[in-house]
Amino acid sequence: AKMADVSSLPVTINPADGFLLSANNRPAPADVPLGYFFSPDDRMIRMREILTEKDRVDIADIRALQRDVYMTSSVRLRDVLTPLLASLNPSAPAEQEIVRLMADWDGHYRAESRGALAFELFYAAFKKRFAVSVMGERDADTYAGIGRIKTLLVDDLERADGAAVAAALRPALASAAERLSSFENWGDMHRLAISHPMGFLPLIGGRYRFADYPVGGSSHSIMKTAHSTTDEQHNTRFGSNARHISDMSDMDKNYFVLLGGQDGWFQSANFLDQVPYWLSGTYVQVPMRLDVVRESFTRKTVLGATATRSGK
């Protein structure tokens, strides 16, 4: 049998679109299996949507792209759910507010968004209830935990019995309405905790937790801030924690930022100094030409040791 090597993998040379994209999504078909579990296509779809709108892309465009918090699958699901919710003719003001906020939401998980908050509050309450109606109690958690669940929900809602859908919609809407007053916006519920791994320790862990910020994004936005499906305040678990842009036509136009700092030494001056940059979308430019380096960076640190002669 022929052994699989690099020639067996899918390849694209000079793509007609002018760009190559990857976001942990399912890649192009190949002669050998490349994997079996992949992220949904949200980030890929969004990047392609943004880049194909432009004839040319500059540094500012890529900066905006790296902080984009739109999520396609949430919008598709919202568009199916809001007419169903409106058909319930909710009379409670808080329930009406949930429906209005969802209908008016632009699909961006900005920290200040009330629409993202309303959608996620309703989605958290609805997903499990609908999963039980579709799969039964035993398999509901497995169904609800699938990475592409929002796409599945869109398809299954179209096929589901109307009475079964309404039975899940009504209590979910009531639950979301009850929780709405608990939070001002998405960032009030969706948090970015800055901590050291030792922050997980009991008793002393608090010494290693440094900050708690409202943050935008969601599990499958380009600026990924993954989280559980919940109606409680929660921390993002992992996501887009480093940004890098290089203009290949100019070796001095290299831009970086880390969610943390350049120095991993606990409590050093550079341990967390890039967190404000990450939050604000600021970058550190790193030139490569020596004369530009000398012009841009006026301080120099010399590392070394003083040698002594033995027996002195």
Side-chain angles (χ1 to χ4, degrees):
K2 180 182 178 182
M3 181 176 293
D5 57 26
V6 68
S7 65
S8 307
L9 302 179
V11 61
T12 300
I13 300 174
N14 293 329
D17 289 334
F19 52 78
L20 288 170
L21 302 174
S22 176
N24 290 342
N25 57 295
R26 185 181 295 278
D31 294 334
V32 294
L34 300 178
Y36 298 97
F37 302 100
F38 301 98
S39 294
D41 293 329
D42 289 75
R43 286 179 290 166
M44 173 69 77
I45 292 170
R46 181 61 176 165
M47 285 190 289
R48 185 173 296 279
E49 178 183 89
I50 291 173
L51 293 174
T52 52
E53 289 177 350
K54 300 176 177 293
D55 293 329
R56 297 183 65 84
V57 176
D58 59 21
I59 296 293
D61 293 323
I62 301 301
R63 289 188 179 197
L65 184 74
Q66 291 184 341
R67 301 181 70 211
D68 190 86
V69 292
Y70 184 89
M71 205 154 106
T72 302
S73 61
S74 291
V75 174
R76 288 187 62 207
L77 181 58
R78 184 279 311 270
D79 290 345
V80 172
L81 288 170
T82 46
L84 297 174
L85 288 171
S87 69
L88 299 177
N89 295 315
S91 58
E95 293 184 358
Q96 293 175 345
E97 180 74 351
I98 288 287
V99 177
R100 183 191 67 78
L101 286 169
M102 286 176 59
D104 293 344
W105 180 41
D106 63 1
H108 291 265
Y109 281 80
R110 299 185 183 93
E112 64 273 17
S113 173
R114 291 271 291 168
L117 171 66
F119 173 81
E120 285 293 326
L121 288 173
F122 175 78
Y123 172 65
F126 174 76
K127 181 173 74 166
K128 178 61 181 295
R129 288 175 171 86
F130 185 71
V132 170
S133 70
V134 172
M135 303 299 296
E137 288 282 355
R138 190 188 69 175
D139 297 322
D141 288 341
T142 301
Y143 172 82
I146 295 173
R148 298 172 184 267
I149 181 59
K150 288 179 178 175
T151 300
L152 287 178
L153 284 173
V154 169
D155 296 335
D156 289 342
L157 279 167
E158 294 176 352
R159 294 192 293 261
D161 176 74
V165 173
L169 287 173
R170 290 184 184 278
L173 180 57
S175 174
E178 181 180 355
R179 298 291 294 152
L180 183 62
S181 61
S182 300
F183 307 102
E184 287 292 323
N185 48 41
W186 176 234
D188 194 22
M189 186 168 82
H190 186 56
R191 312 294 297 182
L192 175 65
I194 305 296
S195 65
H196 188 275
M198 292 180 68
F200 290 105
L201 293 175
L203 300 179
I204 66 170
R207 300 179 183 180
Y208 301 93
R209 294 190 286 268
F210 311 107
D212 181 359
Y213 298 103
V215 69
S218 189
S219 293
H220 303 297
S221 51
I222 294 176
M223 192 186 88
K224 181 170 185 169
T225 54
H227 60 96
S228 301
T229 301
T230 178
D231 63 357
E232 302 284 345
Q233 189 177 82
H234 58 272
N235 293 332
T236 175
R237 299 192 304 267
F238 64 91
S240 305
N241 53 25
R243 299 176 186 142
H244 166 214
I245 305 169
S246 282
D247 182 343
M248 304 304 288
S249 68
D250 187 337
M251 64 188 299
D252 292 326
K253 291 185 177 179
N254 308 289
Y255 304 89
F256 302 86
V257 68
L258 300 172
L259 181 54
Q262 187 65 29
D263 190 343
W265 189 260
F266 180 63
Q267 293 289 49
S268 77
N270 305 115
F271 183 55
L272 298 173
D273 60 339
Q274 292 186 41
V275 172
Y277 288 12
W278 191 92
L279 291 169
S280 65
T282 306
Y283 291 72
V284 178
Q285 184 173 358
V286 181
M288 299 294 288
R289 292 184 178 91
L290 187 57
D291 58 331
V292 180
V293 172
R294 287 171 172 162
E295 181 182 343
S296 302
F297 301 96
T298 57
R299 296 178 61 184
K300 179 169 68 174
T301 300
V302 178
L303 302 176
T306 301
T308 58
R309 185 176 299 173
S310 64
K312 182 177 180 181

